[in-house]
Amino acid sequence: MSKLATAEADRSPSGWKIIWREIVRDKVAFASFLFLGLIIVFVYGISLVLDQKQIVTVDLFSLYKPPSAEFWLGTDYGGRDVFGQLIIGTRNSLSIGIIVTLMTGIIGILIGLLSGYFGGSVDNVFMRFVDFFMILPTLMIVIAFVTAVPKYSIISFSLIMTAFLWMGIARLIRSKALQERELDYIQASRTLGSSHLKIMFTQLLPNLSSIIIVTMTLNLAANIGLESGLSFLGFGFPESTPSLGTLVSYARNPQTLESRWWIWLPASVLILVLMLSINNVGQALKRATDARQRKG
Amino acid sequence: MALLDIKDLKVHFPIRGGLFGRAVGEVKAVDGVSLSIEQGSTYGLVGESGSGKTTTGRAIIGLNAITSGRVMFEGKDLNEGGKRSLLNARRDVQMIFQDPYSSLNPKKRVIDIVAEPLRNFERLSAQEEKRRVRELLEQVGLSAETIYKYPHEFSGGQRQRIGIARAIALKPKLIIADEPVSALDVSVQAQVLNFMQDIQKELNLTYLFISHDLGIIRHMCDHIGIMYKGRHVEQGTTSDIFHNPQHIYTKRLLAAIPDIDPTEREKQRQFRAAVKAEYDQAYRDYFDEEGLAYSLRPISSTHLVALPGKGG
Amino acid sequence: MWKTIVRRIFIMIPQLFLLSILVFLLAKAMPGDALTGLVDPSLDPAALEAQRERLGLNDPWHVQYWNWMIHALQGDFGQSFRFKMPVSELIGQRIFNTIWLSVATLILTYLIAIPLGITSGRYNDTWADRLITGYTYLGFAAPLFIFGLVMLWLFGFHFDWFPTGGSVKPGVEPGTAAYVFSKIYHLLLPALSMALITTVTTVQLLRSEIIDTKQRDFILTARAKGASESRVYNRHILRNSLLPIAAFFGYEITGLIGGTVFIESIFSYPGMGQLFLSSISLRDFSVVTALVLLYGLASILGALISDLILSIVDPRIRIK
């Protein structure tokens, strides 16, 4: 095992170096990358210091306060500090986005690899399964599950999201694996006595790594969007665990939408900027993995 | 006893179609091939593309499922005894692939590529493994310094040498070489072929050499089998085939070998035309109603030809 | 061709069956049952139990599923306890609003996508292309619900150009021209908000298709033969580039399903999405299950349409 690990460490630079070089060369992507890094450090750092209980506690004496020195971004209908909620909301949205992206990634990669590598009837069975999940009206089913689950928590929320979002990456990995397995190096591995599992994970998977990274990055943006959308509709996090979507959802009150911009606009802008930045990094990664599009 | 003995090998692939993707027919890629190879010799399998020569090689090593027939290696049936005997046989039977570009994993370093079979069958320490890989690379004429390089840093000929190093890592007895030089520049082909002959002597290897190039086959092989539409049309020693071809298909293949002497050009052309006329005229005599070759019949102790049986 | 259709429909049947089971089990898993809201809470528990028995709510689940399925196939989804009316009737009132919204969105999507995509692809790397690419770049990242909110804020409240809710002005007599105009007027802002976001992928696709096709050999041949520039574009490039867009149509339908839920909620537009959200909040589950089933059906049909268009456009994937 350790031998394998050092081998991985020794050989990695080539691919990663290209990717890193591509991001640094692309100024927009590099700025986005730095911005994301800063946001993550900032949000996770500050939320360690912030008293979450105090932020989500209703304070009837300071309802709908506009921004001031005390409340940087004012307060909401419960007199709660919007800035604090923004920090915690960003942290929660990012966390669930990352968790869901990783979990859907793992499931999608496993099913895609099995399906594409073995092909034939294994592929048929898995793909019928994927087809079924694809035709489900995801948004409604997730909302229905969210209301049906008795003990609703962040874990069950991310599990529900994962259960209905793994198909895209599974399909992609499957189609790439189907192409790749026709190449002689896979056949060669078999003649050299490697087991199917070993070939799948040590021969095939490294050749799909770049596409996996690109897809997961773009999925991260999509998942954050979906989570904040669900929270916006009121079927994401409970209100005591604010998400960026929770703050935007206060704008469903026409008065808030019309005249209390400080509650919903910062969260909306932050969601947009986060999505743009993640997409920028994702597009740069995509270029890095496609030699024809490389900048240099 | 022959090292490898194949009896009536058949490999059929289903054709799927219709509403529910059921098998509606089959392609008889290999349809009753028998051959045997002596230890230390080279057997050449020749034929046009689609003749089933590659499928035969792949079936022997287990990449294609065998429909029927027997593959005996050192007297043991590779199909019997389940996975274990197949795995053990794999140590002794290795393959060199046609395309040196796709047969090496682009994400792996040379050391990982060459050491893959060692890691599967031998428990070596990292130091021993590195030493073995260095030895193997030197054996195939590559610098031992290259072990941390990636395949894309090598030329086609060098890549094929890496492929050979990987194939001989387990000291196999039989190597199936599937068009090992046809993807290489002509200038490099001879180098690799001569090197393959050197290494054969050194390691007492047996080759099953698959090619469509009769010139290469003549250079490399002791015995030759000519395949057409999944069946043998003629089988014999190199001299049997080249000096005494019996089957019309063999004759036509031989006539197609280019001659480099420009003064003979017109003679060659006429000869080819004559063979073609004979081929067209005699086609019905040499092939059955489906256009397939008949079963092989011996015409000498080493020479077999697919001729129609008397009265059957 | 017909084989493709038959096979696709064969695939649909198990999908529909699985979907109905999933929806049914989901309904069963939700807290409460059809009686919870229907009956007077002061009723005697024994009488309630008798009622349950009579309605078959104590039967094993597969029996209940069978009964439910038989009724659903006849368009009977039970009663909505909130509105005290049959679910099918309730949905019947809303479904057309959602269909109008979807149709308007689709029309706007293509009205925007085709000129923008063609301009962007034909004159790539000009300022017009850069402007359009910039728009698609932002639109690709912007979540629909945020964009919808901003549109409502700007054009509904701030400028007061459009109504901020409903599907028609109250009190207008149905059937009159004023009624139709009011409907369209109410539809415009929600549909435009959704179209401006959904059109982005189509614009991007069309642009890259045109740029790709421009460099293909048969276009060079057409030019070499002396075809005029407009002929090259209208007859050769567009014809080839619009095919993938057509194939994308089915996916647009599937995409609309999620989109309408957000848009209807933001613009208080009385369609199926809004009904779905309010029913689920009020635990009116007979409505919820019927709606999920309908949305699933729409999604299956969307997938069917896109596959069929794809097989017409690309003969390689047809089943022989």
Side-chain angles (χ1 to χ4, degrees):
Chain A
M1 199 59 229
S2 69
K3 188 175 66 187
L4 224 114
T6 53
E8 293 288 309
D10 279 352
R11 71 167 188 84
S12 304
S14 165
W16 291 106
K17 250 186 200 155
I18 293 174
I19 288 178
W20 178 242
R21 206 172 53 205
E22 191 66 19
I23 291 182
V24 173
R25 285 228 174 110
D26 187 333
K27 290 202 179 62
V28 181
F30 190 53
S32 306
F33 187 78
L34 286 182
F35 170 77
L36 281 175
L38 280 177
I39 284 271
I40 288 173
V41 171
F42 183 72
V43 160
Y44 283 87
I46 291 207
S47 62
L48 285 178
V49 202
L50 278 181
D51 183 354
Q52 188 170 342
K53 271 240 177 67
Q54 193 227 313
I55 287 169
V56 296
T57 308
V58 174
D59 176 3
L60 293 176
F61 296 104
S62 43
L63 306 184
Y64 290 134
K65 286 263 167 65
S68 64
E70 190 193 350
F71 303 110
W72 291 358
L73 285 173
T75 61
D76 66 4
Y77 75 93
R80 293 169 292 199
D81 180 26
V82 172
F83 180 74
Q85 288 189 68
L86 193 66
I87 300 292
I88 295 171
T90 311
R91 187 199 62 185
N92 289 343
S93 290
L94 275 175
S95 304
I96 198 137
I98 292 168
I99 292 171
V100 170
T101 306
L102 287 179
M103 291 200 301
T104 50
I106 290 169
I107 297 175
I109 289 167
L110 278 178
I111 291 189
L113 265 186
L114 285 171
S115 197
Y117 176 77
F118 287 110
S121 49
V122 177
D123 181 39
N124 252 324
V125 170
F126 275 129
M127 282 306 115
R128 289 291 85 78
F129 201 59
V130 168
D131 281 347
F132 173 66
F133 271 85
M134 294 291 272
I135 55 97
L136 291 178
T138 315
L139 186 69
M140 289 74 180
I141 296 269
V142 169
I143 290 176
F145 264 94
V146 163
T147 30
V149 164
K151 263 201 203 142
Y152 184 62
S153 67
I154 294 179
I155 297 169
S156 48
F157 181 45
S158 38
L159 285 177
I160 293 170
M161 277 184 76
T162 305
F164 297 99
L165 292 172
W166 54 270
M167 302 82 68
I169 190 162
R171 266 199 172 178
L172 186 78
I173 298 292
R174 176 237 176 205
S175 69
K176 291 287 163 188
L178 270 178
Q179 289 170 15
E180 202 74 16
R181 76 167 182 155
E182 294 302 319
L183 294 179
D184 279 344
Y185 75 86
I186 299 290
Q187 316 281 338
S189 277
R190 287 188 55 199
T191 66
L192 297 167
S194 299
S195 66
H196 288 308
L197 269 181
K198 208 168 178 183
I199 297 175
M200 256 190 277
F201 288 101
T202 66
Q203 304 285 335
L204 192 54
L205 195 57
N207 282 287
L208 304 177
S209 59
S210 44
I211 188 136
I212 290 173
I213 294 166
V214 171
T215 322
M216 300 233 317
T217 310
L218 295 174
N219 278 358
L220 177 63
N223 290 338
I224 291 176
L226 185 60
E227 178 277 318
S228 46
L230 283 165
S231 297
F232 168 78
L233 292 175
F235 298 96
F237 285 121
E239 211 172 279
S240 57
T241 344
S243 122
L244 287 174
T246 321
L247 282 170
V248 183
S249 76
Y250 295 145
R252 293 169 79 194
N253 172 347
Q255 265 110 48
T256 303
L257 179 64
E258 239 186 308
S259 49
R260 294 190 279 265
W261 59 267
W262 63 84
I263 296 175
W264 64 275
L265 199 58
S268 303
V269 172
L270 195 53
I271 293 176
L272 184 64
V273 175
L274 275 178
M275 306 268 274
L276 279 175
S277 309
I278 298 172
N279 280 339
N280 286 338
V281 174
Q283 296 298 344
L285 290 175
K286 204 174 192 171
R287 279 194 298 275
T289 55
D290 183 355
R292 284 173 308 169
Q293 290 187 15
R294 246 171 239 164
K295 294 208 163 174
Chain B
M1 183 183 65
L3 182 73
L4 180 75
D5 199 26
I6 299 173
K7 284 265 177 325
D8 202 26
L9 177 74
K10 288 185 182 172
V11 180
H12 297 175
F13 297 113
I15 307 169
R16 299 200 177 277
L19 269 185
F20 301 101
R22 246 175 294 175
V24 293
E26 49 185 10
V27 177
K28 296 176 178 177
V30 179
D31 195 23
V33 162
S34 303
L35 58 87
S36 67
I37 310 177
E38 296 298 325
Q39 167 83 44
S41 69
T42 302
Y43 185 98
L45 211 46
V46 196
E48 58 195 62
S49 49
S51 63
K53 55 189 196 302
T54 295
T55 311
T56 306
R58 291 169 55 97
I60 294 167
I61 204 166
L63 287 177
N64 284 134
I66 293 172
T67 309
S68 72
R70 275 194 315 177
V71 178
M72 309 282 283
F73 182 75
E74 291 185 309
K76 275 174 287 182
D77 193 332
L78 285 191
N79 256 351
E80 277 168 19
K83 281 213 163 119
R84 184 127 303 274
S85 87
L86 204 67
L87 201 65
N88 287 331
R90 272 202 183 141
R91 282 198 71 145
D92 295 330
V93 185
Q94 284 297 320
M95 187 151 177
I96 300 171
F97 288 84
Q98 172 175 8
D99 181 0
Y101 293 90
S102 77
S103 61
L104 304 181
N105 191 334
K107 293 268 173 176
K108 297 277 175 186
R109 298 168 309 173
V110 171
I111 181 165
D112 297 315
I113 292 170
V114 177
E116 189 184 345
L118 297 173
R119 288 172 189 170
N120 285 332
F121 289 100
E122 284 169 31
R123 302 236 162 270
L124 297 178
S125 71
Q127 281 309 313
E128 278 176 318
E129 184 185 284
K130 210 175 275 181
R131 194 177 51 76
R132 280 286 295 280
V133 172
R134 285 216 168 95
E135 278 172 18
L136 284 164
L137 287 175
E138 272 164 9
Q139 208 167 3
V140 298
L142 290 171
S143 155
E145 306 308 306
T146 59
I147 59 172
Y148 292 117
K149 285 190 175 174
Y150 287 89
H152 66 85
E153 297 169 74
F154 295 91
S155 70
Q158 288 172 323
R159 281 163 157 255
Q160 202 56 305
R161 285 166 189 264
I162 296 172
I164 294 171
R166 172 174 68 179
I168 61 174
L170 291 171
K171 303 198 170 66
K173 292 170 183 153
L174 172 69
I175 288 186
I176 296 168
D178 184 7
E179 309 245 16
V181 295
S182 58
L184 302 179
D185 278 357
V186 181
S187 56
V188 190
Q189 284 188 355
Q191 263 184 42
V192 172
L193 290 174
N194 290 335
F195 158 71
M196 280 179 72
Q197 284 185 324
D198 294 345
I199 218 156
Q200 178 173 32
K201 276 181 216 123
E202 215 176 300
L203 301 173
N204 192 25
L205 289 171
T206 310
Y207 284 138
L208 174 63
F209 200 98
I210 298 166
S211 179
H212 62 273
D213 186 329
L214 277 165
I216 289 175
I217 289 284
R218 184 178 200 172
H219 178 71
M220 293 292 290
C221 302
D222 313 307
H223 287 80
I224 296 173
I226 312 250
M227 280 185 77
Y228 179 71
K229 287 192 182 170
R231 292 187 184 176
H232 263 121
V233 294
E234 194 159 356
Q235 198 173 44
T237 63
T238 305
S239 125
D240 286 337
I241 299 290
F242 278 88
H243 297 121
N244 186 23
Q246 290 299 310
H247 199 280
I248 183 66
Y249 183 74
T250 315
K251 286 183 192 163
R252 203 159 169 220
L253 272 187
L254 292 175
I257 299 175
D259 195 320
I260 48 166
D261 185 353
T263 57
E264 301 274 302
R265 196 178 286 154
E266 185 54 26
K267 212 175 120 192
Q268 273 288 326
R269 203 189 59 74
Q270 280 170 7
F271 174 60
R272 246 174 244 151
V275 173
K276 182 177 188 315
E278 189 190 348
Y279 182 82
D280 290 339
Q281 189 211 334
Y283 186 84
R284 286 184 167 281
D285 300 337
Y286 284 92
F287 296 102
D288 65 15
E289 308 86 64
E290 292 176 72
L292 299 175
Y294 294 100
S295 336
L296 288 175
R297 288 166 189 285
I299 58 165
S300 79
S301 62
T302 54
H303 198 169
L304 299 109
V305 188
L307 293 172
K310 288 166 193 110
Chain C
M1 187 63 226
W2 68 270
K3 270 188 182 169
T4 315
I5 299 173
V6 171
R7 192 174 136 131
R8 263 313 262 107
I9 289 171
F10 266 116
I11 294 174
M12 263 175 68
I13 293 169
Q15 284 181 343
L16 271 173
F17 178 65
L18 275 174
L19 174 73
S20 69
I21 288 190
L22 183 76
V23 169
F24 178 78
L25 292 180
L26 203 53
K28 287 281 123 190
M30 288 189 197
D33 59 34
L35 276 184
T36 321
L38 203 68
V39 219
D40 187 350
S42 58
L43 210 72
D44 169 30
L48 200 68
E49 192 48 42
Q51 187 81 334
R52 259 183 212 213
E53 189 62 49
R54 194 178 63 77
L55 284 174
L57 289 174
N58 292 335
D59 290 345
W61 74 269
H62 56 270
V63 177
Q64 289 193 41
Y65 168 75
W66 182 249
N67 290 332
W68 175 75
M69 202 52 222
I70 293 295
H71 285 272
L73 282 177
Q74 294 160 349
D76 174 12
F77 292 97
Q79 287 273 327
S80 155
F81 83 80
R82 179 161 59 120
F83 294 95
K84 306 285 183 239
M85 65 195 285
V87 173
S88 45
E89 212 171 296
L90 182 62
I91 292 177
Q93 293 174 354
R94 304 293 195 103
I95 197 168
F96 286 103
N97 281 336
T98 297
I99 290 176
W100 293 134
L101 178 62
S102 307
V103 169
T105 305
L106 277 179
I107 293 173
L108 287 172
T109 299
Y110 288 104
L111 277 183
I112 299 165
I114 290 174
L116 289 195
I118 290 175
T119 314
S120 195
R122 179 164 179 178
Y123 307 105
N124 63 321
D125 290 330
T126 60
W127 62 268
D129 174 43
R130 263 172 232 133
L131 215 63
I132 294 168
T133 319
Y135 155 62
T136 56
Y137 165 76
L138 280 174
F140 183 74
L144 177 62
F145 70 98
I146 290 180
F147 185 72
L149 263 184
V150 172
M151 291 289 278
L152 178 67
W153 181 41
L154 277 181
F155 300 107
F157 288 106
H158 194 261
F159 293 119
D160 202 13
W161 290 351
F162 291 96
T164 58
S167 72
V168 70
K169 203 170 158 196
V172 185
E173 193 67 29
T176 60
Y179 184 82
V180 176
F181 277 122
S182 173
K183 275 239 159 194
I184 294 176
Y185 187 40
H186 279 77
L187 207 61
L188 221 49
L189 190 61
L192 189 66
S193 306
M194 188 154 43
L196 278 171
I197 295 292
T198 52
T199 198
V200 161
T201 36
T202 316
V203 176
Q204 286 174 334
L205 190 65
L206 190 53
R207 174 180 187 268
S208 61
E209 276 299 326
I210 289 178
I211 292 176
D212 252 19
T213 319
K214 268 205 295 207
Q215 291 150 349
R216 301 268 278 284
D217 285 344
F218 71 92
I219 297 299
L220 299 180
T221 314
R223 285 228 173 82
K225 285 195 312 193
S228 72
E229 200 59 11
S230 65
R231 194 184 155 86
V232 166
Y233 269 93
N234 295 335
R235 299 234 4 178
H236 298 280
I237 295 184
L238 271 188
R239 201 177 271 187
N240 279 283
S241 309
L242 284 176
L243 288 182
I245 306 297
F248 205 64
F249 179 74
Y251 296 108
E252 297 271 11
I253 296 179
T254 326
L256 281 176
I257 293 171
T260 51
V261 173
F262 282 107
I263 289 294
E264 288 177 9
S265 158
I266 290 165
F267 291 90
S268 317
Y269 184 85
M272 296 194 338
Q274 207 209 20
L275 179 65
F276 173 77
L277 291 177
S278 59
S279 302
I280 209 159
S281 305
L282 294 168
R283 319 218 161 253
D284 194 356
F285 293 125
S286 42
V287 182
V288 171
T289 44
L291 283 172
V292 175
L293 209 57
L294 269 181
Y295 277 121
L297 191 66
S299 182
I300 290 177
L301 287 176
L304 176 73
I305 291 172
S306 70
D307 276 9
L308 290 185
I309 296 177
L310 212 64
S311 76
I312 294 168
V313 170
D314 187 348
R316 279 173 305 176
I317 63 163
R318 247 178 251 166
I319 301 156
K320 281 173 208 99

